[in-house]
Amino acid sequence: MMRWDRPAGGREPAAAALLGWLSDAQAPRLCLVSGSEGCGKSALLAWLVHHGSRPGGLAERTVHAVVPPSPDESVLATVWSIADQLGVVARAPWELVPVLAADGRRTVIVLPDVRGKAVAELVLALAGVPGIRLVVESRSGSPAHRLLSGSGSGCAELDLDLEQWRDEQRFAQWQASHGSQHVVAGMPKPKAVVDLWDPVAVCRADASTVTAAYERARKGEYGGLREAWLRAGQSLCLDQEPASRALTLLAALGDGADPRLASALSEAAAASAWCWEWSRVSGDLVPPWPGPVSALAVGEGPLAGAVLVTGPSGSVRVVRMGNGGARGRIAVGGFQPQSVSVMADGTVLVLDEAGRVHADGSWVARPTGSGIARLLDEGPSGREVLLTALRDHVGTAIACAAGPDLGVVAFGDAAGEVQAFGDWEGAAVLHRGRVNALAALGMPVDSEGVVPLVYSGGADGTVRAWSPGHAPMAAPLAERDSAVMSIDAAMTQSGPALAVAWGDGAVEWIEVDTGAWRAFRPGPPVRAVALAPDGRLLMGMDEYLVCLTPGSPAQLAPEGVQRRP
């Protein structure tokens, strides 16, 4: 049986009450730990976090997220801290609440020293989510305490100023051994003042301090640096080197920002694992921002050198790979594109929200020869037969690769099965649950031969490889405690490479043969990735599209299998 560590200051009755509240399925979702300054609130929460973080502890007593106390109380920093610890992405409270509600699992969150109304309002919003349990420390009489205790939500309150929550005999023993009458809260000292105009300074400063300051500032202040920081904030608040933070901030910077910012951030980011190529941010005019991204695909054939960008607008925008400039647009009809891919001849395949395939051949080169010769040509072409076969299926993801004739088209579905059509055919179940994303490659095996490879990313948090006509690889190529959101593959100078976007906000670039990898977190939810043969990696989000190339040498993962860091 695991030993029960005693809390400090004779607080065994309060500790037992906290554990009882955690174990009671009918108890209120919010427990407010209150009392006067120095009464031991922080020490009790520290004990609870320690008790609830030990391996092998009871599931109902497990603590899943703890917001670090900060003298600069920030709603956004609180949201980003909770989201990161729970493995989700949320830009603001309006996104965190539904994301946790959709998850549905029991989640215990501890928030020390909540003082202001803004964070208290976030607490109340989270307390409305089934499965969430919140332990909140707040000094009696503070604005947060008044709001939470009088909210009418039926919170459980532990007022440590009441005698019932302390064992006097234990307190006397503790006092004799520690020589102190109180357990004083350990609030961190205020951080140094940061020059919010200096991009290098903010990349080196305490992230919560910078976030709180930008949160209080007006829109348009600080030459665009504020907007970039708030756009990429969840990533910027992670513990990382200043060079990595500078790259993340640079990627989120719009073209309306002070041009000196990009120059300073580029220099500061020189030691990062990536090189920034370009970004197109909401509001950009030259070149224009292509809009929110739902899917990306690298162009083939007549579309070589371009990337296709789909979004809620119901169209496919063709963007130049080199600088993000507009090259054209493809009208696909009155639906919301969910997945897009390009065949070798330039045929664009798009999945609508119902999983049906739509094909556009407006960029495909027209066949030579007279009209009479084409009329005399017998029957539909192989391409038309393939497209007809695809229209009979409903899927969740689609991908194409070149082959000796038509190439291969891979189709994933909600049951975890992937089907191949075209030059190679077959089917395999690759995931437990929905196929979220697909990528395909035609791998040259000799001077003439090609082998198809299909890479599949699932809602089960795995990336798997399969060659039609063969059994799937037994072990996943990559695996995390998060769903795959998007995947792409390319034949680079170092061999086949994968780009994977995960539901927790991370993007990974993996060399399949060597297992070398590198990662990047832009901050917002990543909707789609695209990988070009020259190594360019594009990441599409709701507010911006960014292009990076590999910088410093990649890290080598054991046996080539990626697991959550």
Side-chain angles (χ1 to χ4, degrees):
M1 184 175 178
M2 182 175 289
R3 181 176 176 271
W4 189 65
D5 294 331
R6 293 186 177 278
R11 290 298 182 185
E12 283 87 351
L18 268 179
L19 296 181
W21 169 79
L22 283 172
S23 302
D24 184 357
Q26 304 303 316
R29 296 172 187 158
L30 168 62
C31 181
L32 181 61
V33 179
S34 62
S36 56
E37 184 177 0
C39 69
K41 301 185 296 297
S42 295
L44 180 62
L45 260 67
W47 170 86
L48 177 66
V49 171
H50 172 72
H51 184 84
S53 303
R54 297 181 302 175
L58 297 176
E60 64 264 23
R61 296 180 180 179
T62 300
V63 173
H64 302 91
V66 184
V67 178
S70 171
D72 302 295
E73 199 168 61
S74 164
V75 174
L76 290 178
T78 301
V79 167
W80 296 334
S81 177
I82 293 171
D84 193 63
Q85 292 177 70
L86 298 182
V88 299
V89 189
R91 289 163 288 182
W94 58 264
E95 200 162 54
L96 179 64
V97 172
V99 164
L100 296 185
D103 185 281
R105 288 177 293 180
R106 175 184 170 88
T107 304
V108 177
I109 304 171
V110 176
L111 295 95
D113 195 47
V114 176
R115 305 180 303 280
K117 290 180 63 176
V119 174
E121 288 171 350
L122 170 63
V123 168
L124 290 177
L126 291 171
V129 177
I132 298 290
R133 288 294 185 95
L134 297 126
V135 184
V136 179
E137 173 200 351
S138 188
R139 180 172 49 81
S140 296
S142 67
H145 176 260
R146 289 196 297 269
L147 178 61
L148 295 175
S149 61
S151 64
S153 60
C155 76
E157 183 169 358
L158 272 174
D159 183 351
L160 296 191
D161 286 338
L162 300 179
E163 294 182 0
Q164 68 193 73
W165 300 124
R166 182 161 63 195
D167 184 317
E168 293 299 334
Q169 182 178 355
R170 290 284 183 185
F171 176 61
Q173 295 172 350
W174 178 87
Q175 188 179 16
S177 60
H178 289 78
S180 174
Q181 294 186 349
H182 297 286
V183 181
V184 180
M187 171 57 60
K189 296 179 180 179
K191 305 294 191 299
V193 176
V194 182
D195 182 358
L196 299 175
W197 286 94
D198 184 349
V200 176
V202 299
C203 289
R204 296 181 179 277
D206 175 72
S208 62
T209 299
V210 175
T211 300
Y214 282 147
E215 201 172 356
R216 293 190 296 265
R218 296 187 305 273
K219 183 178 180 180
E221 278 193 276
Y222 305 109
L225 198 58
R226 171 187 178 273
E227 283 70 27
W229 183 280
L230 297 182
R231 197 173 283 128
Q234 186 171 337
S235 176
L236 294 167
C237 286
L238 295 174
D239 185 17
Q240 57 186 312
E241 294 297 319
S244 298
R245 192 171 284 165
L247 178 74
T248 303
L249 196 53
L250 177 62
L253 200 65
D255 70 357
D258 186 325
R260 294 172 293 183
L261 295 175
S263 177
L265 287 170
S266 294
E267 185 176 344
S272 69
W274 296 93
C275 297
W276 175 77
E277 294 287 318
W278 51 263
S279 299
R280 296 292 164 256
V281 180
S282 175
D284 282 3
L285 299 176
V286 184
W289 173 56
V293 176
S294 61
L296 296 171
V298 174
E300 299 287 346
L303 288 165
V307 61
L308 279 67
V309 182
T310 73
S313 63
S315 66
V316 178
R317 295 175 183 265
V318 183
V319 173
R320 299 182 190 280
M321 183 74 72
N323 62 4
R327 184 172 161 186
R329 181 181 296 192
I330 300 171
V332 294
F335 62 85
Q336 303 299 316
Q338 303 299 306
S339 182
V340 62
S341 191
V342 186
M343 297 176 67
D345 65 355
T347 300
V348 177
L349 302 181
V350 184
L351 283 189
D352 64 20
E353 58 267 70
R356 296 290 184 182
V357 178
H358 299 257
D360 180 271
S362 57
W363 290 74
V364 178
R366 294 291 176 259
T368 58
S370 68
I372 295 176
R374 289 197 298 272
L375 286 172
L376 294 174
D377 192 18
E378 293 183 4
S381 67
R383 173 179 171 273
E384 290 168 340
V385 172
L386 173 59
L387 295 178
T388 300
L390 292 175
R391 291 189 181 101
D392 291 336
H393 292 77
V394 174
T396 56
I398 195 168
C400 307
D405 185 15
L406 297 171
V408 64
V409 178
F411 214 70
D413 66 21
E417 185 177 62
V418 178
Q419 289 183 272
F421 302 86
D423 296 343
W424 300 273
E425 296 187 348
V429 175
L430 301 183
H431 299 281
R432 299 183 306 275
R434 174 187 169 104
V435 176
N436 281 353
L438 288 173
L441 281 179
M443 286 279 293
V445 292
D446 50 42
S447 59
E448 297 181 0
V450 175
V451 171
L453 279 178
V454 176
Y455 299 101
S456 177
D460 60 0
T462 64
V463 174
R464 296 188 177 274
W466 169 59
S467 181
H470 300 82
M473 288 182 61
L477 286 173
E479 186 172 13
R480 289 172 80 90
D481 295 329
S482 183
V484 176
M485 305 308 294
S486 178
I487 188 171
D488 200 13
M491 280 297 300
T492 67
Q493 290 183 346
S494 57
L498 293 178
V500 186
W502 301 90
D504 60 6
V507 174
E508 289 183 324
W509 182 91
I510 306 166
E511 291 182 6
V512 177
D513 291 342
T514 65
W517 71 285
R518 65 188 76 227
F520 180 69
R521 284 180 182 265
V526 179
R527 308 301 185 189
V529 292
L531 185 62
D534 63 4
R536 283 190 173 99
L537 171 63
L538 288 92
M539 289 160 278
M541 293 152 279
D542 291 346
E543 291 187 51
Y544 58 111
L545 175 67
V546 60
C547 178
L548 305 178
T549 53
S552 60
Q555 299 175 4
L556 186 63
E559 301 177 358
V561 177
Q562 314 300 311
R563 299 195 182 275
R564 184 171 183 171

